[in-house]
Amino acid sequence: MTRFLTLRQQAYEANMLLQRYGLVVATFGNASAFDPDNGVCAIKPSGVSYEELSPEAMVIVDLDNTVVEGNLRPSSDTKTHTVLYRNFEGIRGVAHTHSSYAVAWAQAKKSIPLFGTTHADHLATDVPCTEVMNDDKIKGDYEHETGALIVETFAGTYAPREVPMVLVASHGPFTWGESAHKAVYNSLMLEEIAKMALLTRRIAPDTPRMKQQLIAKHYERKHGKNAYYGQ
Ligand SMILES: [Zn+2]
């Protein structure tokens, strides 16, 4: 009998949502749920189709990437997830997709400019894009280095709790949140923001960022200390 029933369930549901939201094809993408009390996360097994997933198939891994419980190999991106759990305090879920619009910006190696209120409802900055990884790191512990690149991009510049998403240059998006479900929700929002920004650029290539007053208004009404959006 597993000690991690709830964690497995959370990770399973998050992975299935990735598919339901249309953010993944074939076996692409992965989501994990983190339990800080036990220092473990539940993550999708490597190369298993979404149709075959179940809570039991999730793999329990500690933050040193050792499998604690499970019969299958964990996602090949596991080391990226655990680097984020080790460095971004308070996050409980991570998601990774190759959703088309977010990937398009990542492949263009461009941050997504904050053009409108949909974007500002979720974060008050551009969606950051990392540098392209150097050759030594690509040849080294690649998945670990992907996480390290994200941490490096944020260091001293962005607060992970306020900017719950990033584009890894030439690769694609990683998102996180206070739960696995929230991490997946942020992947969905990022895809929508990426699509809207691309269309905006196409209509008017010289569109400036939305003005600061509107950014502050939309971000603060949802996330500020006097937030009044929602129930
Ligand atoms: Zn990937």
Side-chain angles (χ1 to χ4, degrees):
M1 188 59 192
T2 174
R3 286 194 290 144
F4 305 110
L5 207 59
T6 310
L7 199 63
R8 285 175 174 282
Q9 189 66 32
Q10 287 167 353
Y12 168 70
E13 285 173 12
N15 278 288
M16 295 311 281
L17 269 182
L18 283 180
Q19 193 198 36
R20 192 181 321 154
Y21 288 158
L23 296 169
V24 290
V25 296
T27 62
F28 282 7
N30 42 70
S32 66
F34 179 51
D35 169 1
D37 295 332
N38 289 300
V40 295
C41 65
I43 191 161
K44 183 167 166 277
S46 182
V48 177
S49 72
Y50 285 88
E51 289 70 27
E52 292 174 277
L53 283 189
S54 64
E56 295 71 36
M58 298 295 126
V59 188
I60 307 292
V61 177
D62 70 17
L63 294 193
D64 295 321
N65 307 298
T66 304
V67 173
V68 173
E69 193 182 84
N71 302 319
L72 299 167
R73 213 142 32 105
S75 162
S76 52
D77 292 322
T78 298
K79 287 182 175 177
T80 310
H81 290 236
T82 54
V83 168
L84 296 181
Y85 289 129
R86 279 203 301 271
N87 287 278
F88 289 174
E89 207 189 323
I91 68 168
R92 301 281 185 99
V94 171
H96 172 52
T97 79
H98 286 194
S99 64
S100 308
Y101 288 95
V103 163
W105 285 89
Q107 291 182 170
K109 299 183 272 294
K110 298 268 189 222
S111 300
I112 305 175
L114 201 172
F115 285 140
T117 67
T118 318
H119 183 142
D121 280 340
H122 297 91
L123 66 164
T125 69
D126 294 357
V127 178
C129 184
T130 70
E131 297 288 317
V132 177
M133 196 186 291
N134 73 36
D135 292 354
D136 285 346
K137 290 177 178 175
I138 294 167
K139 279 185 248 159
D141 195 351
Y142 176 67
E143 290 78 13
H144 170 87
E145 294 295 352
T146 300
L149 186 62
I150 295 170
V151 171
E152 206 176 287
T153 302
F154 272 63
T157 308
Y158 303 103
R161 300 284 282 269
E162 290 167 15
V163 181
M165 53 186 70
V166 71
L167 302 172
V168 175
S170 307
H171 183 172
F174 281 83
T175 62
W176 47 87
E178 67 227 15
S179 66
H181 187 283
K182 197 63 202 279
V184 171
Y185 171 83
N186 286 333
S187 287
L188 180 65
M189 289 306 117
L190 170 54
E191 180 64 359
E192 203 57 32
I193 289 167
K195 183 177 176 181
M196 289 174 178
L198 173 67
L199 294 173
T200 304
R201 269 273 161 89
R202 195 182 290 164
I203 296 165
D206 54 354
T207 301
R209 282 183 180 71
M210 184 167 72
K211 64 184 199 173
Q212 193 55 41
Q213 280 299 101
L214 269 172
I215 295 172
K217 180 70 186 172
H218 272 263
Y219 187 75
E220 293 299 326
R221 71 179 191 150
K222 261 189 142 173
H223 306 279
K225 64 178 191 307
N226 297 316
Y228 58 87
Y229 178 89
Q231 297 306 313

